[in-house]
Amino acid sequence: MVEAWGKYSAGEYERRFLLQEIPPGAADPRRIRDRYLTGTRLRLRLTESPDGQLLERKLGHKRRVADDDPTAVMHTSLYLDRGEFELLAALPGRDLVKVRWAVDLDGEAGSVDVFEGDLLGLVMLEVDLKSAARLTGFSPPAWAGPEVTQDEAFTGGVLSMLLPADLDQAVTRLVGSGR
């Protein structure tokens, strides 16, 4: 696993799990509006507080270290002003809206995403473990459902394209019944 990330990239070692609901202790909700720009690996992100206050606008680029390994990615972010964001938001893309909650996983920081719109009912846990060694040694909490890290259907870019029936089919494949 590569430990030397690019000069402008931050390394992320991620695992994702389906959840039935927001777990106890989840805090600090933030609404995230993502726009995946068509034909690229670029994502625009607008983050707001629960009362709608703008927290940040950014352009992100994620690249896997190895094409067949979704656990290790290089992530680069550029923070944008309003004009830059609006200009890029006018490009063709697919939108995804979720509320992200912070959770403590025995000292590891996790995020619980509760999706809206066509993905209403989908709840996922994501944990960024900061190193390859911690990635393999991580034990998910008892309340976590099936791991979906290796399932492309549960990546942001693919989720932004899914219709409710497609999502139901993906979940059924893992747990035996729809959302």
Side-chain angles (χ1 to χ4, degrees), residues 149-166:
T149 305
Q150 300 291 334
D151 192 327
E152 291 296 324
F154 295 95
T155 60
V158 175
L159 284 170
S160 71
M161 295 186 285
L162 289 184
L163 298 173
D166 299 325

Side-chain angles (χ1 to χ4, degrees), residues 16-20 140-148 175:
R16 292 182 305 282
F17 303 84
L18 292 181
L19 300 179
Q20 290 290 320
W143 43 262
E147 183 164 5
V148 294
V175 297

